[in-house]
Amino acid sequence: MKEYCAATRTHGGRSTPDLSDMAEVEDTLKRIQAQHGVIGTIVVNGEGIPIRTTLDNSTSVQYAGLLHQLTMKARSAVRDIDPQNELTFLRIRSKKHEIMVAPDKEYLLIAIQNPSE
Amino acid sequence: MKDMSSKRPKSKEANKKKTKDKSNADNLPKPEEAVASEPGHPEYIFPLVLTSVSQELFSCRADEDVTAENPHKLLKKQDIIQDLRHRAAVCDFSPVKQAVLDYPEDELLLVFDRDFTYGQSFYLVLTVQAKESILKPPAEGADEQMEDEEQQEEEEEMMMKTPEPQPWVSLGSEQEIQDQSLSESRPRLRYSVCPLGRRSGTRVRFSDRNALDWKEELVECSSYEDKSFSITRMERDSSTQTCRDNTHTCTQTLWKKPKNMWSQYEPREFSSEEKQHQLQSENLKNFITSVARRFEIYLQQNLIADVFCDDWTALCEDDASLMGKTETQLKEYQSFMDLHFSKEKTISHVQWHPSISGVIVVSMMERLSLEERIDSSTKLLLNPSHILFWSFSDPINPQLQLECPDDVLCFQFSPSDHNIIAGGCMNGQVVLWDISAHVDRLQDTRSGGKNILNKLGKSDATPVVRYCAVSGIENGHKAPITDIQWLPETFEVNKLGTPVENQSRTSVQLVTCAPDCCVLFWDLRAPRVMVHSLTDIKQKQEEKPLENPHGVPNTFTHLNLTWKPFIRVSLPKISSSGEYSPLKFSMRENTVDYNTGDKSVSGADSHVFAQLRMQSAKQQKPLQNISTKLYIATEDGELVYTDWKVEKDNDSGRMLSAKPLDVFLLQDTLLHTVSRSPFFRDIILTVGRFSFSIWREGLTCGPLLMSVYSKSMFSAGHWSRSRPAVLFMGREDGDVEVWDLLQNSRQPSHTQNISTAAISSIRTQTSSAKQNLLAVSDRLGTLHILQIPGSLRRSSSSERQNVEKYFEKEEERLQYFEKRQSDHQKKKKETEAEQQKKKTELVTPPKQEEEVDAETLKEYQQFLTLEKLILKDMNIQNETQQTCNTINTP
């Protein structure tokens, strides 16, 4: 049975690797987007170019550019204070929304939520 | 030029001769060089005539012994002397005998002068030097004969050697220098001049003397330009330099800090393929999975609790509602009762002064029913009624009195000019007052408490202001005017009722209504003068203008007694014939956007209404977005919603107004108040005798809120100006009720008894920002001023929203009900239709048995096929389940 299972696993894992990964990514993003009050989500690459977004193009480009710079700044601030520390999450609360940014070495995930609803 | 022989260097003659000698010495090869300017000959040259005998004797025969080429002949001195001895006087040499004897040497030179340069054919050279020079002409032309043969020889010898410096030998230039130089020829003369009689040796005292003062003793030798000494420059050195033409060039300063002024850029974007590629990367997947958990936690956090809300500020808003009952009391602040004028009178209308705080205006009216009025009409004519101005500083005496032609039921201040008051009278006339002359007195009263002296100085009698203008009795209403309102200064209405732009930016139009079933529009300006014929002009000229009695301003003389309304809106009933009789009306508050740069046409002259003219139809600019609809409360308890625009009826040519848009029958008794909420433009309060209701404009189903019918009757109603949910109601038994719609819409939140008589009107102060005074007037003629407690004054921030939501809910409810009703109606119709159908069906004959059998068989077949299908589906499912089960079992 193990062999059979292994066979199925390899069969399922390698022939279409991208699709399942993508499906997972899609699922996660959809889950985040479906949370109550979330206005939009953006996935940004290391240079500030949006890869995947639920907002319109101009808005997402603007958010990506600005928040990318801010995240870099915040990350360097945290590192300067304590070189062993690193930035894990960034939340910007404004009157109307809350912007949440999860940084990574290569990517950035941005979500905008309206918490008062 | 150097001289040849300078035996006499100081004579000028020798100089001349020297030049001649030089030329003669060079005569040998070139006979042309001979200069024969002088007839004479040099002294050492003696021209001779030699006869042929002599010639043979001395063997110098012409052209034989001596020729042109060889003209020299040396003759011995001894021979010449012998010849002289022999022939004595005949000898040719006799004239030169002495010279020959003196001749130092032995041989003399005889030269054949072929050309007769000296006048003879031969000449004898008498001096040795001449002979030498002739015989041996010098090699250089400029060399002087002074040089001896030795020198010449030396020169010839030295040509091979470099010339050595020779000691300077004067050649005669010294004479020239000495001639030119100035030398004293005699010793200098010396003179000493001294005046006679001067004692020498005494002290001399010098003093100054101004030269200008002693002009007579002065001889001035001033310089003057003497032309003879002026030197004219004949030559002048000048130089020129070429240069380029003028050119304009410019250069830019160093731009040390290059900075972009602006830059246009585009964000970098990925194409869709790249995005797909990125999305499929492993890294992205890992990132998202690692981050997603965190994200969800935080997103939910926000929903659980608001971390940033300020509890303190939120706390104090609810403070007001928790306060005890004492705070809701309306405290009495002041009350006004005039002893002279208010006896047996009631207050019909109360108005706060819009700009001057602390002044309240009250109109007094006789407290009589119609029969009593008719009975005591004469008495009434003698006692004119008044409008009184009360100020808080003086509770006993009114500040100002406005005289009215008849009892005034309602009045209003003009919104653009607070000195103009318009009132509607019992007899249907519209009255205008202008109190600009007395405004100072009103304003002083506010601070009058401080200046006691001033107060004493003023006369105690209240000034009486007569009305400026009254409308014509025939043209106005035929019933007492119950409501009057000004149109705002933003727009005006033309003859057809369309709103047009108001050029003068002042309120010039009034609207009045009366129970005579019409709403009239009045204009304050003089009508456009249209002169039709000469007779008209004459008539106008003959009529003298009415002059107002003393003390009355002439603001509206043009209107006095001739004033007419320009629009008459009638209110025909919708369903039946007849008309509605309005008591009060309410217009929608309209705002108009004007350019702020547009100043009013007549800025300072806005007071001079006589000069304002109604616009011609061409000049008027119609305005959109202005609602021309009125809500009218009628005597019969109806709320009429109509448009004031009139249309021209083509048949009769008269202006007709359209039928009202909506009518709501509320009660059987009259509706005495229609007012709009100051916070919401489309919420209207109507107060009738037994209940009040709140309406939304445009909603035709019904009122949003209708109060419970109460036992005691309402006599007045008013919105609170500071809180959107608060209403003040006045009752017939003298109670003032405070209704808070958000707290309880079924009963008032607070009731307070103010007076024993019925409340006739309630007004809140509009002029001051504090908004804490409430004016309540009763039928006895007393005016009570009450203080509104803080809880009723201060509104919470969300109150407006809450009230809006409340109204929206009510609206939804109404709409729901309406929908339900319409659905119900539909259903009802359907059921009826079905019933109808059934009835018709029963009439059809019964079917035959065979047909019935066939039908049942068909049905059975259909059932069988259906069953098969279902079984098939179920079978398949069973199969798949079995296969799954086999796989999953280890």
Side-chain angles (χ1 to χ4, degrees):
Chain A
M1 191 50 218
K2 256 191 196 171
E3 294 164 357
Y4 182 69
C5 290
T8 50
R9 223 178 284 141
T10 49
H11 174 81
R14 286 291 166 247
S15 67
T16 52
D18 302 329
L19 284 176
S20 72
D21 285 353
M22 257 188 74
E24 250 187 84
V25 163
E26 293 276 342
D27 271 343
T28 321
L29 287 174
K30 271 191 197 150
R31 245 189 9 249
I32 293 176
Q33 175 70 29
Q35 289 273 350
H36 190 70
V38 171
I39 298 171
T41 50
I42 311 169
V43 179
V44 183
N45 84 333
E47 291 175 338
I49 308 172
I51 298 174
R52 170 70 196 254
T53 171
T54 61
L55 303 166
D56 60 284
N57 196 24
S58 54
T59 318
S60 59
V61 152
Q62 194 178 25
Y63 267 105
L66 294 166
L67 288 168
H68 177 256
Q69 289 175 23
L70 187 64
T71 316
M72 294 299 127
K73 202 75 181 181
R75 185 185 283 165
S76 66
V78 169
R79 276 271 168 78
D80 283 347
I81 291 167
D82 181 9
Q84 259 126 41
N85 205 356
E86 60 178 75
L87 180 71
T88 51
F89 208 83
L90 185 64
R91 282 165 88 165
I92 302 165
R93 181 68 178 252
S94 74
K95 200 164 87 175
K96 295 183 187 172
H97 314 302
E98 175 153 347
I99 304 171
M100 301 179 172
V101 182
D104 186 66
K105 260 180 283 176
E106 295 168 30
Y107 298 98
L108 221 60
L109 179 61
I110 303 168
I112 305 144
Q113 188 194 26
N114 191 354
S116 64
E117 286 180 16
Chain B
M1 292 240 298
K2 292 186 183 170
D3 47 344
M4 306 291 248
S5 62
S6 59
K7 281 222 169 124
R8 271 162 277 189
K10 289 195 184 175
S11 67
K12 285 186 184 174
E13 284 180 349
N15 287 338
K16 287 181 188 172
K17 280 182 186 168
K18 276 169 217 158
T19 53
K20 288 256 165 82
D21 284 342
K22 181 191 172 214
S23 58
N24 281 334
D26 295 333
N27 198 15
L28 301 166
K30 297 168 192 175
E32 302 87 65
E33 289 179 2
V35 176
S37 59
E38 284 184 13
H41 48 80
E43 286 182 4
Y44 54 84
I45 302 289
F46 191 79
L48 281 180
V49 177
L50 291 177
T51 58
S52 53
V53 177
S54 319
Q55 283 181 15
E56 285 175 9
L57 201 74
F58 289 102
S59 63
C60 56
R61 286 182 283 268
D63 296 326
E64 286 178 15
D65 291 325
V66 290
T67 57
E69 288 84 24
N70 195 13
H72 302 294
K73 182 79 179 172
L74 283 166
L75 303 174
K76 284 199 180 166
K77 184 176 170 183
Q78 296 296 328
D79 293 336
I80 296 171
I81 292 169
Q82 240 178 6
D83 189 39
L84 281 169
R85 280 187 196 143
H86 288 294
R87 292 192 293 161
V90 185
C91 181
D92 296 323
F93 289 99
S94 54
V96 289
K97 185 183 171 180
Q98 188 61 41
V100 169
L101 288 170
D102 290 333
Y103 200 74
E105 288 190 0
D106 290 333
E107 287 183 342
L108 278 92
L109 178 64
L110 178 76
V111 180
F112 170 59
D113 194 2
R114 190 189 174 84
D115 296 321
F116 289 88
T117 51
Y118 293 108
Q120 302 298 339
S121 60
F122 287 91
Y123 65 83
L124 188 73
V125 179
L126 295 175
T127 61
V128 180
Q129 288 101 347
K131 175 184 108 179
E132 293 297 326
S133 69
I134 289 167
L135 281 176
K136 291 161 191 175
E140 303 165 27
D143 273 345
E144 48 185 332
Q145 184 90 35
M146 181 71 183
E147 299 293 329
D148 292 333
E149 291 172 345
E150 304 162 357
Q151 254 190 3
Q152 286 181 356
E153 287 169 3
E154 284 176 12
E155 280 182 21
E156 287 168 6
E157 288 174 9
M158 272 186 262
M159 272 184 34
M160 309 307 285
K161 299 180 195 173
T162 56
E164 288 177 2
Q166 303 284 329
W168 180 77
V169 175
S170 164
L171 295 173
S173 56
E174 295 154 344
Q175 189 183 353
E176 284 180 4
I177 291 168
Q178 277 174 1
D179 283 343
Q180 296 286 334
S181 64
L182 194 65
S183 57
E184 292 179 1
S185 53
R186 58 167 171 78
R188 288 192 177 180
L189 301 171
R190 271 189 195 196
Y191 297 96
S192 92
V193 176
C194 55
L196 291 172
R198 173 160 291 193
R199 286 164 262 145
S200 61
T202 55
R203 287 176 72 91
V204 181
R205 194 172 286 161
F206 291 107
S207 65
D208 290 333
R209 209 183 241 190
N210 197 353
L212 295 171
D213 295 338
W214 301 87
K215 274 185 188 165
E216 312 88 51
E217 307 190 9
L218 265 188
V219 175
E220 261 192 82
C221 302
S222 55
S223 60
Y224 64 97
E225 197 177 341
D226 193 355
K227 296 281 172 153
S228 57
F229 292 105
S230 67
I231 302 171
T232 54
R233 262 185 114 130
M234 307 296 281
E235 276 180 9
R236 196 169 76 192
D237 290 333
S238 70
S239 58
T240 54
Q241 186 178 7
T242 58
C243 67
R244 281 174 182 276
D245 295 313
N246 274 345
T247 54
H248 264 294
T249 59
C250 40
T251 173
Q252 193 164 359
T253 55
L254 277 178
W255 190 32
K256 296 232 166 109
K257 188 186 171 196
K259 198 170 77 169
N260 282 335
M261 291 304 286
W262 54 271
S263 54
Q264 189 172 356
Y265 53 86
E266 243 177 38
R268 274 184 301 170
E269 288 173 9
F270 280 141
S271 63
S272 49
E273 297 93 34
E274 278 178 340
K275 280 187 191 170
Q276 288 293 322
H277 176 72
Q278 288 271 357
L279 283 170
Q280 288 160 12
S281 72
E282 185 81 14
N283 285 336
L284 185 69
K285 176 196 153 219
N286 292 339
F287 161 66
I288 297 254
T289 45
S290 65
V291 150
R293 185 79 197 118
R294 237 181 285 156
F295 245 100
E296 281 167 12
I297 294 172
Y298 295 138
L299 283 169
Q300 278 166 4
Q301 258 181 18
N302 279 336
L303 301 166
I304 294 168
D306 187 10
V307 189
F308 293 99
C309 83
D310 190 357
D311 293 323
W312 283 110
T313 49
L315 195 63
C316 75
E317 278 175 3
D318 303 336
D319 207 11
S321 57
L322 296 172
M323 278 299 191
K325 261 201 172 178
T326 51
E327 275 287 330
T328 57
Q329 273 278 359
L330 297 165
K331 278 185 247 168
E332 173 115 5
Y333 180 76
Q334 209 166 8
S335 77
F336 294 103
M337 171 109 183
D338 188 52
L339 301 165
H340 297 287
F341 302 104
S342 328
K343 263 191 200 165
E344 294 177 16
K345 284 202 181 180
T346 90
I347 295 176
S348 55
H349 195 83
V350 177
Q351 190 90 11
W352 289 90
H353 197 286
S355 48
I356 303 173
S357 70
V359 173
I360 191 163
V361 187
V362 156
S363 67
M364 313 295 290
M365 204 176 80
E366 291 290 338
R367 220 185 318 151
L368 302 166
S369 69
L370 185 61
E371 280 183 12
E372 288 166 353
R373 271 178 195 275
I374 294 168
D375 289 341
S376 54
S377 54
T378 47
K379 201 167 95 179
L380 284 171
L381 281 172
L382 293 171
N383 286 345
S385 45
H386 293 98
I387 292 181
L388 302 173
F389 278 67
W390 292 102
S391 159
F392 287 162
S393 55
D394 190 358
I396 302 173
N397 295 321
Q399 299 304 29
L400 202 58
Q401 274 182 58
L402 298 181
E403 196 181 310
C404 332
D406 206 346
D407 284 342
V408 168
L409 281 174
C410 56
F411 63 93
Q412 288 278 344
F413 282 88
S414 159
S416 56
D417 184 2
H418 292 156
N419 294 333
I420 304 204
I421 303 160
C425 292
M426 200 78 177
N427 57 5
Q429 280 181 319
V430 180
V431 191
L432 286 170
W433 288 274
D434 184 357
I435 56 165
S436 4
H438 303 276
V439 174
D440 303 331
R441 197 192 146 89
L442 287 173
Q443 278 171 341
D444 281 345
T445 58
R446 211 55 206 102
S447 59
K450 294 169 192 172
N451 302 335
I452 300 173
L453 291 171
N454 280 352
K455 239 185 162 181
L456 292 173
K458 281 183 194 164
S459 58
D460 284 333
T462 42
V464 180
V465 179
R466 205 165 177 278
Y467 47 89
C468 284
V470 173
S471 70
I473 292 180
E474 319 84 46
N475 302 324
H477 285 284
K478 311 243 178 331
I481 297 180
T482 47
D483 200 4
I484 183 168
Q485 276 185 27
W486 289 83
L487 280 182
E489 60 217 11
T490 46
F491 68 96
E492 61 180 53
V493 170
N494 70 355
K495 277 196 176 166
L496 291 172
T498 14
V500 292
E501 195 184 324
N502 185 351
Q503 295 282 344
S504 56
R505 306 280 189 274
T506 53
S507 298
V508 288
Q509 290 179 341
L510 295 172
V511 188
T512 59
C513 79
D516 62 348
C517 312
C518 60
V519 173
L520 298 179
F521 281 71
W522 306 76
D523 198 307
L524 287 179
R525 297 171 293 190
R528 293 184 69 230
V529 178
M530 285 185 298
V531 177
H532 288 292
S533 62
L534 285 170
T535 51
D536 281 346
I537 299 170
K538 275 188 188 170
Q539 277 180 357
K540 279 177 187 165
Q541 281 174 352
E542 284 165 3
E543 287 173 8
K544 283 183 191 173
L546 289 168
E547 285 179 2
N548 278 349
H550 175 68
V552 179
N554 290 337
T555 329
F556 297 112
T557 36
H558 59 277
L559 296 171
N560 202 5
L561 294 177
T562 56
W563 202 10
K564 277 195 247 189
F566 66 98
I567 296 180
R568 181 181 288 266
V569 180
S570 62
L571 305 164
K573 286 203 177 168
I574 284 184
S575 41
S576 52
S577 66
E579 288 174 337
Y580 297 109
S581 54
L583 280 183
K584 298 272 182 186
F585 65 94
S586 151
M587 289 185 294
R588 194 189 171 107
E589 190 189 305
N590 291 304
T591 51
V592 179
D593 269 331
Y594 282 128
N595 293 330
T596 50
D598 283 353
K599 294 281 175 182
S600 64
V601 170
S602 56
D605 293 342
S606 57
H607 295 281
V608 189
F609 287 94
Q611 289 179 3
L612 289 175
R613 288 275 179 270
M614 284 172 72
Q615 290 172 331
S616 66
K618 292 176 201 167
Q619 286 173 357
Q620 291 166 345
K621 285 189 230 171
L623 294 169
Q624 277 86 30
N625 303 333
I626 291 190
S627 162
T628 55
K629 304 196 173 44
L630 295 171
Y631 268 104
I632 298 174
T634 62
E635 258 183 332
D636 302 320
E638 293 142 338
L639 183 66
V640 181
Y641 185 51
T642 180
D643 195 333
W644 75 55
K645 280 194 253 196
V646 288
E647 289 157 359
K648 210 161 185 182
D649 187 22
N650 288 328
D651 297 333
S652 57
R654 284 186 301 157
M655 299 293 194
L656 287 182
S657 50
K659 294 225 164 173
L661 301 166
D662 258 320
V663 174
F664 311 101
L665 182 59
L666 293 175
Q667 317 160 16
D668 285 329
T669 52
L670 52 87
L671 276 181
H672 59 79
T673 308
V674 174
S675 79
R676 294 204 180 224
S677 165
F679 292 90
F680 307 102
R681 270 198 213 163
D682 52 356
I683 301 288
I684 297 141
L685 168 75
T686 57
V687 183
R689 276 286 156 80
F690 294 104
S691 75
F692 67 88
S693 27
I694 296 178
W695 302 77
R696 186 184 281 270
E697 186 173 357
L699 202 62
T700 55
C701 335
L704 292 177
L705 172 73
M706 193 148 159
S707 80
V708 172
Y709 278 81
S710 58
K711 275 183 268 176
S712 61
M713 296 194 285
F714 287 112
S715 55
H718 191 70
W719 288 95
S720 157
R721 285 199 187 269
S722 53
R723 287 192 59 188
V726 171
L727 298 167
F728 295 104
M729 292 289 166
R731 289 206 183 259
E732 291 274 326
D733 53 4
D735 285 342
V736 170
E737 290 176 355
V738 178
W739 289 70
D740 189 344
L741 293 173
L742 290 176
Q743 275 190 348
N744 194 344
S745 56
R746 297 171 60 81
Q747 40 174 257
S749 61
H750 176 70
T751 316
Q752 195 174 335
N753 187 286
I754 301 293
S755 85
T756 49
I759 307 283
S760 57
S761 69
I762 302 177
R763 286 280 180 272
T764 47
Q765 191 179 25
T766 52
S767 54
S768 87
K770 283 191 198 166
Q771 311 246 358
N772 55 355
L773 292 177
L774 192 68
V776 178
S777 64
D778 62 11
R779 292 258 167 85
L780 287 176
T782 321
L783 178 67
H784 305 267
I785 309 287
L786 306 166
Q787 255 187 343
I788 306 177
S791 60
L792 292 172
R793 226 187 311 146
R794 273 181 277 110
S795 72
S796 60
S797 55
S798 57
E799 183 170 339
R800 201 201 151 110
Q801 273 177 348
N802 291 339
V803 172
E804 256 192 77
K805 280 187 194 167
Y806 170 70
F807 287 140
E808 274 167 27
K809 261 194 243 171
E810 294 296 322
E811 203 179 321
E812 279 174 26
R813 174 184 63 88
L814 284 172
Q815 282 170 346
Y816 171 70
F817 271 126
E818 210 182 314
K819 198 180 162 211
R820 276 290 293 261
Q821 278 221 332
S822 60
D823 285 346
H824 186 69
Q825 291 280 334
K826 265 194 215 167
K827 270 193 180 171
K828 213 176 167 184
K829 278 184 192 168
E830 280 173 12
T831 47
E832 277 177 14
E834 276 183 30
Q835 278 177 4
Q836 288 270 320
K837 264 194 193 171
K838 276 184 190 168
K839 282 181 191 169
T840 52
E841 277 178 8
L842 286 167
V843 177
T844 57
K847 289 184 189 168
Q848 293 181 355
E849 282 190 15
E850 289 170 4
E851 290 178 13
V852 171
D853 283 335
E855 279 179 18
T856 47
L857 197 65
K858 263 195 203 169
E859 282 180 28
Y860 183 60
Q861 292 291 331
Q862 281 177 0
F863 168 68
L864 283 176
T865 49
L866 189 62
E867 194 185 11
K868 271 186 193 168
L869 280 170
I870 291 169
L871 283 174
K872 264 193 192 171
D873 286 339
M874 281 175 61
N875 282 338
I876 288 171
Q877 279 193 355
N878 281 335
E879 285 167 11
T880 52
Q881 267 193 349
Q882 281 170 5
T883 51
C884 284
N885 287 334
T886 51
I887 288 175
N888 287 338
T889 51

